[in-house]
Amino acid sequence: MSEFQQKCSILNRDRLAPDIFRLTLQAPKIAAKAQPGQFVMVRVIDGLDPLLRRPFSIHRSYADGSISLLFKVLGKGTAMLARRCVGDELDLVGPLGNGFDFSDERPVCLIGGGMGIAPLLFLAEQLHSSGRATEKDHVLLGARNKDELTPLADEFSALGYTVQLATDDGSIGRKGFIPDLLDFVLPIVEQVYTCGPHLMMENVVRQCQQAEVHCQVSLETHMACGIGACLGCTVNGKRGLVRVCQQGPVFNADHLEWSLV
Amino acid sequence: MKEEAVLLEKNPEQKVEAREVVPCIMPDLRVQIGSLALRNPVMTASGTFGYAREFENLVDLDRLGGIIVKGISLHPKPGNPPPRIVETACGMLNAIGLENVGVDRFISGKMPYLRKLATPVVVNILGDSVEEYSEIARKLDGAKGVAALEVNISCPNVKKGGVAFGTVPEMAAKVTEAVRRSTTLPLIVKLSPNVTDIVLMARAVEDAGADAVSLINTLIGMAIDPITRRPRLANVIGGLSGPAIKPVALRMVWQVAQAVSLPVIGIGGITTANDALEFLLAGATAVQVGTANFYDPSAAENIVQGITDYLQEQGEDCLVDIIGTLKTGTD
Ligand SMILES: Cc1cc2nc3c(=O)[nH]c(=O)nc-3n(C[C@H](O)[C@H](O)[C@H](O)COP(=O)(O)OP(=O)(O)OC[C@H]3O[C@@H](n4cnc5c(N)ncnc54)[C@H](O)[C@@H]3O)c2cc1C
Ligand SMILES: Cc1cc2nc3c(=O)[nH]c(=O)nc-3n(C[C@H](O)[C@H](O)[C@H](O)COP(=O)(O)O)c2cc1C
Ligand code: FES
């Protein structure tokens, strides 16, 4: 693995919903190496509070050397990040983690909940650009409301995927949870990629295991270093502890001791 | 450098020409910890630098003064359940629980890489009993590439009903003596700040044969989520590190440096060259950079550069000349 520490200037800042932002950053070294499912550790300010970097999935990587991040304001760090402006510089470390393993098993289903959608767009684009995406490939996206899903849902559709949506309030797509949609999709796909809230992924994994469909999950844990040094991010794998930042964040769901994750 | 300046004064016409040929003399940053020679006083603290390889793409490992690897026990330890880390104001709490691969797998799996580094590698060791400490020390004594041992005495002694070796001077001395008998390597004993009088601890390990003391380890702390009314760490309590603990660490280093004749290594919240200089002025012979490695992998390298710049600006040729030069009172 080769990662970089780089000062990256903000090229673009979009506010997709009241608390959801998309930042595009000039990050040539990171962009050149980035794989879908990998992440960066971002220093949201130069000061000492907040102290630690924040992990964010690489949402997109462009040939011009830029990357974008999609994030939701949850606490202190993301609130500060949301206040950074075009032209500001952010210190990034990345690309980190292993990324999705995209073998030839088709058709696939991408399942994203909330900000778990972020890494899936990069994956969808890579599958698309390698000429492998078809409408037999499904994308299931879930969020609290319509605001959180547009324009993301359109970006997946534009790549040729069959997109289905679910929202907590029913403002777009089906009212309820992603797993309801999964019943229809599982019999026709070979491989599931999922990222989102813990409970959602737990359900997706259970359904995949019942249907005997391969499932890769991208996990979120609290991280201090992002490079395997602090042992702060470990979870239980079937064969002992694994470091999410280094051996993940993407895991074959069967390799995790799911009840203890 | 000073001689050149005198020469230039005597020969004003040649000033410009002479300037061009005067080599830029780099200040001498070397320090000595017992028989362990360091090219500069900046090391990375145990548990914050993994086994060094994690940082190989981000840090020029050969620029560091020393690398202290993650604590090693006799048998592998699984550590604590997650969440294991939590951020606090200007700091973090961790309850990793000393997860590590155990000494045998460390020697077979990690040492081959570490041995190739030009920077001295210090192995941090921990045990549940005095015998365990000596056994690890013996095993490492025979392993090629280990430059020194740092004995972490902050872990609870299960056999003694949960008393930490690091809080009872007699116990700290016992561990130190046992390790001393098991190795010829330079022996650094790492002190815990969770005591009433750290000077007593330092004196105890000095008398027991330590070559140096390093301080401080983390301060015991806690954080609570008021919404869930639960502790933020699964282990409930954890070790506080980072800039938040620097004033406490600095005070302890200063007290200990005055009380013992061993070299003292300062640890606690060091992020910038100025932080490191504070510890050196307070009497530390070297420093360790911990939590800063997580949020700024280039911190240790930048500190080496910053110390170099400081010495040049102050007209000092040797780092050792500034150690313990803190001015207090009216002097
Ligand atoms: C590999 C990975 C990729 C991620 N990708 C994205 C993304 O693309 N978009 C996005 O919006 N969010 C993403 N997250 C979650 C994001 O890192 C957290 O939302 C963010 O750190 C919260 O920071 P805060 O300061 O606003 O919250 P606070 O609650 O103030 O943070 C306090 C501490 O908890 C940590 N923390 C809090 N929530 C999380 C969480 N869910 N996951 C990990 N650490 C957390 C913070 O890093 C910080 O150390 C990702 C997390 C991981 C581990
Ligand atoms: C995640 C983490 C793990 C640590 N593990 C060890 C360890 O294994 N052995 C040890 O002696 N100290 C350990 N420490 C303590 C540090 O080496 C250091 O003494 C402490 O963090 C204070 O320095 P800092 O404020 O610069 O981080 C650990 C600290 C952290 C944050
Ligand atoms: S975040 Fe430090 S080891 Fe994974």
Side-chain angles (χ1 to χ4, degrees):
Chain A
M1 222 194 310
S2 69
E3 57 270 328
F4 308 95
Q5 181 177 0
Q6 207 178 6
K7 290 241 190 271
C8 305
S9 62
I10 301 176
L11 302 174
N12 219 329
R13 174 184 176 276
D14 289 325
R15 188 172 197 163
L16 305 187
D19 56 356
I20 297 181
F21 294 80
R22 185 143 65 181
L23 291 182
T24 306
L25 300 151
Q26 184 63 39
K29 286 184 187 158
I30 296 172
K33 293 270 182 188
Q35 292 295 319
Q38 289 190 301
F39 64 99
V40 290
M41 293 291 283
V42 180
R43 195 128 191 242
V44 297
I45 49 158
D46 286 336
L48 298 177
D49 197 15
L51 190 68
L52 301 176
R53 287 170 186 266
R54 300 299 193 248
F56 297 100
S57 303
I58 299 171
H59 174 52
R60 276 179 143 167
S61 173
Y62 303 91
D64 68 358
S66 62
I67 60 168
S68 66
L69 309 178
L70 176 77
F71 70 95
K72 185 168 179 164
V73 175
L74 279 185
K76 188 152 65 176
T78 44
M80 285 185 174
L81 194 58
R83 286 198 292 271
R84 302 301 296 263
C85 308
V86 171
D88 284 358
E89 278 197 332
L90 292 175
D91 191 320
L92 262 62
V93 174
L96 300 168
N98 59 353
F100 292 104
D101 176 13
F102 38 111
S103 59
D104 281 332
E105 280 180 302
R106 309 303 297 247
V108 299
C109 179
L110 278 51
I111 305 175
M115 289 303 102
I117 297 169
L120 297 184
L121 189 62
F122 188 10
L123 176 65
E125 281 177 337
Q126 287 275 306
L127 289 170
H128 174 76
S129 63
S130 59
R132 293 187 286 180
T134 69
E135 66 236 32
K136 279 199 200 140
D137 294 319
H138 288 257
V139 174
L140 311 182
L141 304 177
R144 278 184 316 189
N145 53 46
K146 184 172 184 240
D147 276 357
E148 293 197 352
L149 286 180
T150 49
L152 297 166
D154 299 339
E155 291 167 6
F156 284 94
S157 306
L159 294 168
Y161 293 87
T162 301
V163 181
Q164 289 179 274
L165 308 177
T167 47
D168 294 352
D169 63 357
S171 53
I172 193 168
R174 175 192 276 249
K175 182 170 158 66
F177 294 118
I178 293 273
D180 306 341
L181 296 169
L182 202 54
D183 286 338
F184 302 104
V185 173
L186 278 184
I188 51 172
V189 299
E190 295 287 334
Q191 175 77 247
V192 163
Y193 299 96
T194 184
C195 184
H198 196 85
L199 205 59
M200 180 205 96
M201 290 202 287
E202 211 176 315
N203 281 315
V204 170
V205 169
R206 196 173 333 108
Q207 281 181 272
C208 287
Q209 282 169 344
Q210 272 161 12
E212 295 184 358
V213 172
H214 290 154
C215 180
Q216 291 179 36
V217 294
S218 178
L219 295 185
E220 278 189 13
T221 54
H222 286 219
M223 294 181 174
C225 71
I227 58 173
C230 72
L231 308 181
C233 66
T234 50
V235 296
N236 288 287
K238 281 262 162 67
R239 280 184 283 155
L241 291 170
V242 288
R243 277 167 286 173
V244 173
C245 68
Q246 207 189 37
Q247 286 140 295
V250 181
F251 294 92
N252 178 332
D254 298 335
H255 293 172
L256 294 172
E257 198 59 68
W258 202 254
S259 59
L260 297 171
V261 165
Chain B
M1 238 168 153
K2 277 168 193 153
E3 273 173 23
E4 296 288 357
V6 174
L7 199 100
L8 292 177
E9 291 253 333
K10 282 187 187 155
N11 240 328
E13 317 83 57
Q14 284 182 5
K15 210 169 187 169
V16 176
E17 207 189 337
R19 263 226 178 113
E20 281 167 0
V21 295
V22 171
C24 175
I25 299 167
M26 292 296 281
D28 182 354
L29 264 62
R30 287 174 300 173
V31 294
Q32 194 79 25
I33 308 287
S35 60
L36 174 68
L38 306 179
R39 75 164 76 85
N40 70 59
V42 184
M43 303 193 262
T44 53
S46 177
T48 66
F49 211 64
Y51 299 110
R53 194 169 201 161
E54 293 86 344
F55 285 84
E56 69 180 345
N57 294 319
L58 298 169
V59 177
D60 181 355
L61 300 173
D62 291 345
R63 286 202 66 198
L64 305 175
I67 293 170
I68 313 217
V69 292
K70 172 76 190 154
I72 296 290
S73 50
L74 188 55
H75 304 295
K77 274 188 190 283
N80 291 325
R84 293 171 160 193
I85 45 172
V86 139
E87 192 185 62
T88 56
C90 301
M92 65 179 270
L93 284 167
N94 88 80
I96 306 299
L98 300 165
E99 178 191 335
N100 77 91
V101 295
V103 68
D104 293 333
R105 271 172 61 201
F106 169 75
I107 293 172
S108 62
K110 310 290 181 186
M111 273 316 296
Y113 174 79
L114 292 166
R115 200 173 281 145
K116 285 188 282 187
L117 301 177
T119 303
V121 173
V122 178
V123 181
N124 182 277
I125 64 170
L126 56 110
D128 286 335
S129 64
V130 174
E131 301 75 47
E132 272 189 27
Y133 276 102
S134 350
E135 203 171 334
I136 308 166
R138 256 195 308 275
K139 287 189 181 221
L140 288 167
D141 203 35
K144 218 174 92 204
V146 181
L149 297 183
E150 182 181 61
V151 183
N152 177 4
I153 53 171
S154 316
C155 27
N157 172 13
V158 186
K159 285 191 184 162
K160 286 274 170 191
V163 177
F165 292 117
T167 56
V168 181
E170 296 75 29
M171 291 300 296
K174 259 199 187 132
V175 173
T176 308
E177 272 163 20
V179 177
R180 178 71 293 165
R181 277 197 301 271
S182 313
T183 181
T184 52
L185 291 166
L187 180 57
I188 305 164
V189 178
K190 182 163 175 178
L191 304 181
S192 161
N194 303 305
V195 293
T196 336
D197 188 352
I198 193 147
V199 168
L200 283 183
M201 301 302 301
R203 287 207 181 110
V205 302
E206 177 175 41
D207 294 344
D211 295 311
V213 285
S214 57
L215 59 151
I216 57 175
N217 212 312
T218 54
L219 282 154
I220 298 169
M222 149 172 209
I224 295 170
D225 181 343
I227 304 296
T228 61
R229 303 190 186 190
R230 298 189 67 82
R232 288 190 193 269
L233 290 172
N235 192 52
V236 185
I237 60 172
L240 180 65
S241 65
I245 70 166
K246 199 189 88 183
V248 178
L250 192 58
R251 182 266 294 177
M252 289 186 163
V253 165
W254 179 66
Q255 286 179 325
V256 169
Q258 286 181 310
V260 299
S261 49
L262 298 177
V264 175
I265 304 170
I267 323 167
I270 298 171
T271 301
T272 62
N274 272 351
D275 295 334
L277 286 161
E278 285 188 62
F279 280 85
L280 296 166
L281 295 173
T285 300
V287 294
Q288 294 178 20
V289 179
T291 302
N293 296 311
F294 298 153
Y295 60 89
D296 185 10
S298 48
E301 271 184 280
N302 291 342
I303 291 171
V304 174
Q305 187 57 50
I307 293 175
T308 309
D309 295 346
Y310 169 87
L311 293 176
Q312 274 171 343
E313 281 158 23
Q314 298 274 319
E316 297 279 358
D317 299 335
C318 292
L319 174 91
V320 288
D321 294 342
I322 69 154
I323 291 171
T325 56
L326 178 74
K327 297 177 191 164
T328 53
T330 51
D331 55 347

